[in-house]
Coordinates of all heavy atoms in Angstrom, one line a residue:
S220 N 19.8 4.8 -3.5 CA 19.0 4.9 -4.7 C 18.3 3.6 -5.1 O 19.0 2.6 -5.0 CB 19.8 5.4 -5.9 OG 20.2 6.7 -5.7
S230 N 2.3 -8.0 -21.9 CA 1.0 -8.6 -22.5 C 0.2 -9.1 -21.3 O 0.7 -9.3 -20.2 CB 1.3 -9.7 -23.4 OG 1.7 -10.9 -22.7
K234 N 1.5 -10.7 -17.6 CA 1.3 -10.0 -16.3 C 1.2 -10.9 -15.1 O 1.9 -10.7 -14.1 CB 0.1 -9.1 -16.5 CG -0.1 -8.1 -15.3 CD -1.3 -7.2 -15.7 CE -1.5 -6.2 -14.6 NZ -2.6 -5.3 -14.9
K240 N 6.3 -13.9 -10.0 CA 7.8 -13.9 -9.8 C 8.1 -12.8 -8.8 O 8.9 -13.1 -7.9 CB 8.5 -13.6 -11.1 CG 10.0 -13.6 -11.0 CD 10.6 -13.5 -12.4 CE 12.2 -13.6 -12.2 NZ 12.8 -13.5 -13.5
R243 N 7.0 -14.0 -5.3 CA 8.0 -15.0 -4.9 C 9.2 -14.4 -4.3 O 9.7 -14.7 -3.2 CB 8.3 -16.0 -6.0 CG 9.2 -17.1 -5.5 CD 9.5 -18.2 -6.6 NE 9.9 -17.7 -7.9 CZ 11.1 -17.2 -8.2 NH1 12.1 -17.2 -7.3 NH2 11.4 -16.7 -9.4
A251 N 14.8 -8.9 8.2 CA 15.7 -7.8 8.3 C 15.7 -7.0 7.0 O 15.7 -5.8 7.0 CB 17.1 -8.2 8.8
E252 N 15.8 -7.7 5.9 CA 15.8 -7.1 4.6 C 14.5 -6.4 4.3 O 14.5 -5.3 3.7 CB 16.2 -8.1 3.5 CG 16.3 -7.5 2.1 CD 17.5 -6.4 2.0 OE1 18.3 -6.3 2.9 OE2 17.5 -5.7 1.0
R256 N 14.2 -2.4 3.5 CA 13.6 -1.9 2.3 C 12.4 -1.1 2.6 O 12.1 -0.1 1.9 CB 13.3 -3.1 1.3 CG 14.6 -3.7 0.8 CD 14.3 -4.8 -0.2 NE 15.5 -5.4 -0.7 CZ 15.5 -6.1 -1.9 NH1 14.4 -6.2 -2.6 NH2 16.6 -6.6 -2.3
S272 N 2.3 17.0 -1.7 CA 1.1 17.6 -2.2 C -0.2 16.9 -2.0 O -1.2 17.5 -2.2 CB 1.3 17.9 -3.7 OG 1.4 16.7 -4.4
F279 N -2.9 0.6 2.2 CA -3.3 -0.8 2.4 C -2.7 -1.4 3.7 O -1.7 -0.9 4.2 CB -2.8 -1.7 1.2 CG -1.4 -1.8 1.0 CD1 -0.7 -2.9 1.6 CD2 -0.6 -0.8 0.4 CE1 0.7 -3.0 1.4 CE2 0.7 -0.9 0.2 CZ 1.4 -2.0 0.7
E285 N 4.8 -8.0 2.4 CA 4.8 -6.7 1.7 C 5.5 -5.7 2.5 O 5.7 -5.8 3.7 CB 3.3 -6.3 1.5 CG 2.6 -7.3 0.5 CD 1.1 -7.0 0.4 OE1 0.5 -6.5 1.4 OE2 0.5 -7.3 -0.6
D287 N 6.3 -2.9 4.9 CA 5.7 -2.4 6.2 C 5.5 -0.9 6.1 O 6.5 -0.2 6.3 CB 6.5 -2.8 7.4 CG 5.9 -2.4 8.7 OD1 4.7 -1.8 8.7 OD2 6.5 -2.7 9.7
F292 N 0.3 5.1 9.1 CA -1.0 5.2 9.8 C -0.9 6.2 11.0 O -1.9 6.5 11.6 CB -1.4 3.8 10.3 CG -1.9 2.9 9.2 CD1 -1.0 2.1 8.5 CD2 -3.2 2.9 8.8 CE1 -1.4 1.3 7.4 CE2 -3.6 2.1 7.7 CZ -2.7 1.3 7.1
E293 N 0.3 6.6 11.3 CA 0.5 7.6 12.4 C 0.5 9.0 11.9 O 0.7 9.9 12.7 CB 1.8 7.3 13.1 CG 1.8 5.9 13.7 CD 3.1 5.4 14.2 OE1 4.0 6.2 14.3 OE2 3.3 4.2 14.4
L299 N -6.2 9.6 5.5 CA -5.9 8.3 5.0 C -7.2 7.5 4.6 O -8.2 7.7 5.3 CB -5.1 7.5 6.1 CG -3.9 8.1 6.6 CD1 -3.2 7.2 7.6 CD2 -2.9 8.4 5.5
L301 N -8.6 3.7 3.3 CA -8.3 2.3 3.2 C -9.4 1.5 2.5 O -10.6 1.9 2.6 CB -8.2 1.7 4.6 CG -7.1 2.2 5.5 CD1 -7.3 1.7 6.9 CD2 -5.8 1.7 4.9
P302 N -9.1 0.5 1.8 CA -10.1 -0.3 1.1 C -10.8 -1.3 2.0 O -10.2 -1.7 3.0 CB -9.3 -1.0 0.0 CG -8.0 -1.2 0.6 CD -7.7 0.0 1.5
G316 N -8.8 5.9 12.9 CA -8.0 5.5 14.0 C -8.0 4.0 14.1 O -8.8 3.3 13.5
F325 N -8.0 -13.1 5.2 CA -6.5 -13.2 5.1 C -5.8 -12.5 6.3 O -4.6 -12.3 6.2 CB -6.0 -12.7 3.8 CG -6.6 -13.4 2.6 CD1 -7.4 -12.7 1.7 CD2 -6.5 -14.8 2.4 CE1 -8.0 -13.3 0.7 CE2 -7.1 -15.4 1.3 CZ -7.9 -14.6 0.4
E329 N -9.1 -3.9 7.9 CA -9.9 -3.1 7.0 C -10.9 -2.2 7.8 O -11.2 -2.5 9.0 CB -10.6 -3.9 6.0 CG -11.7 -4.8 6.5 CD -12.4 -5.5 5.3 OE1 -11.9 -5.7 4.2 OE2 -13.5 -6.0 5.6
P332 N -17.3 -0.4 8.4 CA -18.1 0.5 7.7 C -19.1 1.3 8.6 O -19.6 2.3 8.2 CB -18.9 -0.4 6.8 CG -18.9 -1.8 7.4 CD -17.6 -1.8 8.1
T334 N -18.1 2.7 11.5 CA -17.4 3.8 12.2 C -16.5 4.6 11.2 O -15.9 5.6 11.6 CB -16.5 3.3 13.3 OG1 -15.6 2.3 12.9 CG2 -17.4 2.7 14.4
A338 N -15.4 7.0 1.4 CA -14.6 8.0 0.6 C -14.9 7.6 -0.9 O -15.3 6.5 -1.2 CB -13.1 7.8 0.9
V340 N -13.3 7.5 -4.9 CA -12.1 7.3 -5.6 C -11.6 8.7 -6.1 O -10.4 8.9 -6.2 CB -12.2 6.2 -6.7 CG1 -13.0 6.7 -7.9 CG2 -10.8 5.8 -7.2
A346 N -2.1 7.1 -4.3 CA -2.5 5.7 -4.0 C -1.2 4.9 -3.8 O -0.3 4.9 -4.7 CB -3.3 5.1 -5.0
P349 N -0.1 -2.4 -3.0 CA 0.8 -3.5 -3.1 C 0.9 -4.1 -4.6 O 0.0 -3.9 -5.3 CB 0.3 -4.6 -2.2 CG -1.2 -4.3 -2.1 CD -1.3 -2.8 -2.3
G351 N 0.8 -7.1 -5.6 CA 0.0 -8.2 -5.9 C -1.5 -7.9 -6.3 O -2.3 -8.8 -6.6
T352 N -1.8 -6.6 -6.2 CA -3.2 -6.3 -6.5 C -3.5 -6.1 -8.0 O -2.6 -6.0 -8.8 CB -3.6 -5.0 -5.9 OG1 -2.8 -3.9 -6.3 CG2 -3.6 -5.1 -4.4

Side-chain angles (χ1 to χ4, degrees):
S220 292
S230 74
K234 193 173 180 179
K240 185 175 182 176
R243 182 176 48 78
E252 183 62 13
R256 290 182 182 202
S272 63
F279 64 96
E285 293 173 330
D287 181 2
F292 288 90
E293 300 168 15
L299 305 179
L301 296 170
F325 306 114
E329 65 179 23
T334 60
V340 70
T352 60

